[in-house]
Amino acid sequence: MSLVSRTRLAALVAAVCVGAAGVTAWAYDDGASDTGRQDGSGPEVADQASVTEGSTLQIVAHPDDDLFFMNPDVSRSIAAGIKVTTVYLTSGESDGRNEAHGGALQDPVGPADHASYSEARQNGVRGAYAQMATGDRTSPWERKSIRTAGGGSAEVDVLIARPEVNLVWMELREARSISGDNPQSLRGLWDGKITALDAQLSSGSPVKQTFSYTKDQAIAAIAGVLSTYKPTTIRTQDPTPGRIEATGVFLDHQDHMYGARFVQAASERYAQSADRPHFSIQNYISYPNTGLPPTLDARAAEEKLGYLKTYAWTDREDWCRSPAGCGDRKTATRPTGAGWNQTIRYSRGDATSWMAEGAPGRVWAFAVLDGRMAYWTRGGEKAPWQGPQFLPGPGTGPGTALDTGATAVRLPGGRLAVFATRTTLGAKHQDYSRDLVYAVQSEANGAFGPWKSLGSPDTVDRSGTSAISGPAVAVDQSGRMTAYVRDSRRTLRAAAQSAPDGAFGEWKALGGAGLQGDPVAETDRSGRRHVYAATHGSVLAWVQPAPGAPLGGPFPTYLPPTTGVLSAVPEGDGVRLFFRRPGKGTVATTLATAGGQPAPRFSPVTETGGPGGYGAVGVVGDMLVGRASTGAVGLVGMAGTGGPQDWQESRMLFTGAPAGVADGPRTDVAAALGLDADLHVITPTPPPGSKPPAGPPAPWHRAVKP
């Protein structure tokens, strides 16, 4: 770490330790101090500290998908006290037998009873949510039947002790097969193999009248739920998990995949309504977590397992007083799933490249809201933030939406380009596809031009998979851009401009295998380009041995396993990588250098400081911004000036990944998109040599004051 870096970090430490409350006062400042107007002319009310606000709505295919694949995000949202609603598209009736197999948990084999097994799973879910919300799995619910916008019925459960916690049961028939081509399924309905999908009612449900949905009615029913609850964060599964190349079998349960596509279509319809707040979407990886390194620390994994054991009814106590049973006995023999209690992963929006400095001093932040690209901007250190404003629509009219995640890069002269992936739903199921799109400013601080498409490296079976990653983008000294993505085969692909402001060429194969997450790309001080991508057990590298030379690789790095998300920043004649340690969530780093060697060289891996967390980390000068072990956004100073430090946590949960800009001390800013679909920011460090503020530094706060 440079002397300047150490000076800046020391200034931060001194600032946050002002007063007896120290870091706690800085992290949890109530905004009561008087810090002066932004123009320095007089006092004004300080920025109000960010807390978790908004509302979340999870939509999953089966009872337990949320507990396995979205926790601890769900439990922490409940703990924050916001409105939390989970929607189950199918009844999860499987083969209709609620029985455990193996060892001491062996249950007698009984006759198939789909309605009863569905009820048992509902009972287990209600118990788990009651436990998350009140600590008591027996806490009662009010249950009622409602009519849906699709012409059918759904059960709505309201937790009496915590009425902001709701469960909605759509009670459709599940596929009853992970990958089998069963027409009576969400997949069959989406692909047009059936005209309508029947309900599978649960015994004990207040929904008594059976019904069926056409494809449009199912979309309308889900969109109606969104309109009723008006979430600011929608959580759903991955609509494009990919296939196993050798067999063509989906990497995920077909209900997960096609259920998420119905959510996409319903969200696109909901976005057209006027009476709603802005919303963001977070996608979660499900079965493909199997075999990947764990992302949660031991404490978080054990807490998650406790809720799963309640759902699985492992103790067999008759706490629910239901003849159907109080949980899912199929899960009882292995409530951890395939290691899923130790893991949570996002399939989109886990990159930290969505902020950039354009013209000197002007900072931009981008995020996808309502299926469109939103942006916020600030014209200088003392200028107010403005936004959200929106770039022109995603490109081809109704039936298209931008996916979660954005990548912003600076071009020579201060113009910006922003990249994203786009989903086209299409009139027919064969029309479903994804491509990469980008928009460029006409001049520094100017308007953005129309969206242009780079197409997709996936040209076969696009409607079936389209499992491309978000893009990493590099810019050479002339302003020519190159985009890098992971394709559906888990290899690296690249598309480059022929000239600055020119069209992009064809996608070229760069090799690699088993890539996870999004690639990262940076250019070192000498002009050499570095591209890195995580694999199951390490990281692969592609590096220019000299500026302008062909990109070499893939090279093995022999780095230790990561949780699959990488961050990178230039540092001298190299690029510094950051990643989380599996099973602990601590952040580690190494410096990669190149020059005269075919493969890059790496410094010893060191810990940056602070306890664990999960998800990607952004880099802001000498600070890391990321999700702490509690799920809240926080900052931590890198070790090197007194040893590891604790995360300086906010009281705000967020979606996606955090980001930051640190091109100069007066533009340093970290940001995160809150569950309220609003941008929240903090200035991590005071400028070197400046007088520390009279009170605690400003906390995390809304970029644009309400």
Side-chain angles (χ1 to χ4, degrees):
M1 184 178 291
S2 68
L3 178 60
V4 171
S5 297
R6 289 174 178 170
T7 300
R8 292 175 62 195
L9 186 56
L12 170 70
V13 173
V16 299
C17 291
V18 171
V23 168
T24 302
W26 174 85
Y28 294 97
D29 178 30
D30 63 5
S33 62
D34 184 358
T35 61
R37 295 186 184 276
Q38 289 181 320
D39 60 6
S41 62
E44 69 168 12
V45 177
D47 293 311
Q48 188 68 36
S50 296
V51 296
T52 301
E53 294 183 311
S55 62
T56 71
L57 188 143
Q58 297 75 229
I59 310 180
V60 295
H62 309 119
D64 77 12
D65 289 342
D66 47 340
L67 301 177
F68 272 127
F69 307 120
M70 296 180 178
N71 248 349
D73 282 359
V74 175
S75 63
R76 286 164 176 166
S77 297
I78 292 173
I82 63 172
K83 190 169 187 64
V84 176
T85 302
T86 301
V87 181
Y88 303 91
L89 297 180
T90 78
S91 292
E93 69 277 8
S94 185
D95 63 357
R97 291 181 169 87
N98 189 20
E99 55 201 21
H101 298 287
L105 292 176
Q106 182 75 37
D107 290 328
V109 177
D113 186 340
H114 295 103
S116 181
Y117 180 46
S118 174
E119 181 187 352
R121 295 187 75 172
Q122 285 193 11
N123 289 335
V125 166
R126 280 188 285 268
Y129 271 78
Q131 183 182 359
M132 287 189 283
T134 70
D136 178 9
R137 65 182 174 180
T138 67
S139 191
W141 298 78
E142 179 185 358
R143 301 170 61 187
K144 60 183 178 181
S145 174
I146 63 164
R147 293 292 291 174
T148 71
S153 299
E155 177 180 337
V156 175
D157 299 345
V158 179
L159 186 60
I160 295 173
R162 292 280 303 276
E164 70 274 15
V165 178
N166 286 203
L167 305 175
V168 179
W169 308 91
M170 304 298 286
E171 302 216 72
L172 286 169
R173 190 185 191 276
E174 72 146 287
R176 304 183 185 178
S177 170
I178 292 175
S179 57
D181 192 6
N182 182 359
Q184 295 294 322
S185 63
L186 291 170
R187 176 185 178 185
L189 186 62
W190 182 272
D191 287 349
K193 294 181 179 179
I194 54 173
T195 58
L197 180 61
D198 292 335
Q200 170 57 67
L201 302 186
S202 302
S203 58
S205 173
V207 178
K208 303 300 183 183
Q209 185 66 42
T210 191
F211 59 90
S212 63
Y213 287 142
T214 65
K215 181 177 180 179
D216 188 71
Q217 287 173 329
I219 294 169
I222 300 167
V225 173
L226 294 173
S227 295
T228 297
Y229 284 96
K230 294 180 171 55
T232 52
T233 297
I234 298 172
R235 294 169 172 155
T236 185
Q237 292 168 282
D238 186 358
T240 54
R243 297 181 189 264
I244 300 172
E245 187 175 1
T247 63
V249 173
F250 294 129
L251 288 167
D252 203 353
H253 195 298
Q254 59 181 311
D255 283 345
H256 299 170
M257 173 179 171
Y258 282 91
R261 294 191 180 191
F262 274 99
V263 175
Q264 282 185 305
S267 299
E268 193 271 337
R269 185 172 298 187
Y270 171 60
Q272 309 307 314
S273 61
D275 183 23
R276 58 162 179 79
H278 292 309
F279 66 90
S280 66
I281 295 177
Q282 181 77 75
N283 298 94
Y284 290 78
I285 294 176
S286 300
Y287 284 1
N289 278 311
T290 303
L292 294 178
T295 63
L296 298 176
D297 61 33
R299 182 175 179 179
E302 188 63 26
E303 178 187 352
K304 181 174 177 176
L305 180 59
Y307 304 133
L308 285 164
K309 286 182 176 179
T310 295
Y311 165 74
W313 193 28
T314 55
D315 62 9
R316 295 303 301 269
E317 292 184 9
D318 187 22
W319 60 267
C320 68
R321 301 294 188 267
S322 168
C326 298
D328 180 5
R329 291 293 292 167
K330 288 187 187 300
T331 308
T333 51
R334 194 171 64 170
T336 59
W340 300 331
N341 74 300
Q342 304 175 52
T343 292
I344 184 171
R345 279 187 174 85
Y346 310 118
S347 62
R348 298 176 185 178
D350 213 12
T352 61
S353 52
W354 49 272
M355 292 188 75
E357 184 182 22
R362 179 171 286 276
V363 176
W364 299 74
F366 299 87
V368 175
L369 300 180
D370 317 334
R372 301 169 60 196
M373 186 62 71
Y375 67 89
W376 295 258
T377 185
R378 185 191 73 181
E381 178 195 8
K382 295 183 179 181
W385 283 90
Q386 296 178 335
Q389 300 180 50
F390 289 85
L391 272 62
T396 59
T400 65
L402 296 182
D403 302 327
T404 297
T407 297
V409 293
R410 186 182 190 273
L411 302 175
R415 291 186 302 150
L416 292 183
V418 59
F419 289 73
T421 62
R422 174 178 63 182
T423 293
T424 298
L425 297 171
K428 301 178 180 179
H429 75 91
Q430 300 95 329
D431 298 331
Y432 184 97
S433 64
R434 295 175 68 209
D435 62 337
L436 280 92
V437 294
Y438 71 104
V440 183
Q441 283 180 314
S442 57
E443 59 183 5
N445 297 336
F448 281 83
W451 289 101
K452 299 179 181 179
S453 177
L454 283 73
S456 171
D458 288 344
T459 57
V460 178
D461 190 30
R462 291 183 65 188
S463 65
T465 56
S466 296
I468 53 177
S469 71
V473 182
V475 183
D476 67 17
Q477 294 178 345
S478 71
R480 190 172 67 108
M481 296 184 287
T482 303
Y484 301 90
V485 300
R486 184 207 70 229
D487 64 14
S488 292
R489 298 177 61 192
R490 302 278 164 177
T491 68
L492 189 68
R493 305 288 286 271
Q497 287 181 310
S498 56
D501 293 323
F504 279 79
E506 297 294 322
W507 289 96
K508 295 183 178 180
L510 297 182
L515 305 187
Q516 303 291 329
D518 297 337
V520 293
E522 285 291 350
T523 303
D524 65 27
R525 182 173 58 187
S526 298
R528 290 180 291 257
R529 184 173 304 165
H530 299 236
V531 181
Y532 299 95
T535 66
H536 174 275
S538 186
V539 175
L540 292 178
W542 292 257
V543 178
Q544 289 176 312
L551 196 69
F555 299 112
T557 64
Y558 305 105
L559 293 173
T562 77
T563 59
V565 288
L566 305 175
S567 301
V569 293
E571 183 176 310
D573 285 331
V575 167
R576 182 165 289 280
L577 289 177
F578 298 88
F579 55 88
R580 289 195 187 266
R581 300 277 201 179
K584 297 189 295 183
T586 54
V587 182
T589 184
T590 181
L591 179 64
T593 55
Q597 300 287 334
R601 292 166 293 179
F602 295 88
S603 67
V605 174
T606 58
E607 303 293 326
T608 60
Y614 57 95
V617 292
V619 185
V620 192
D622 304 308
M623 302 293 293
L624 300 177
V625 55
R627 190 175 273 104
S629 58
T630 60
V633 65
L635 292 164
V636 66
M638 291 181 232
T641 57
Q645 304 162 50
D646 287 335
W647 283 95
Q648 299 153 10
E649 295 183 39
S650 71
R651 290 181 293 175
M652 185 188 75
L653 304 177
F654 65 102
T655 187
V661 170
D663 282 349
R666 294 188 179 275
T667 56
D668 279 11
V669 62
L673 189 69
L675 297 184
D676 57 359
D678 209 349
L679 185 71
H680 297 254
V681 298
I682 192 170
T683 301
T685 58
S690 65
K691 183 179 179 180
W700 282 92
H701 58 277
R702 280 195 176 94
V704 179
K705 293 182 180 180

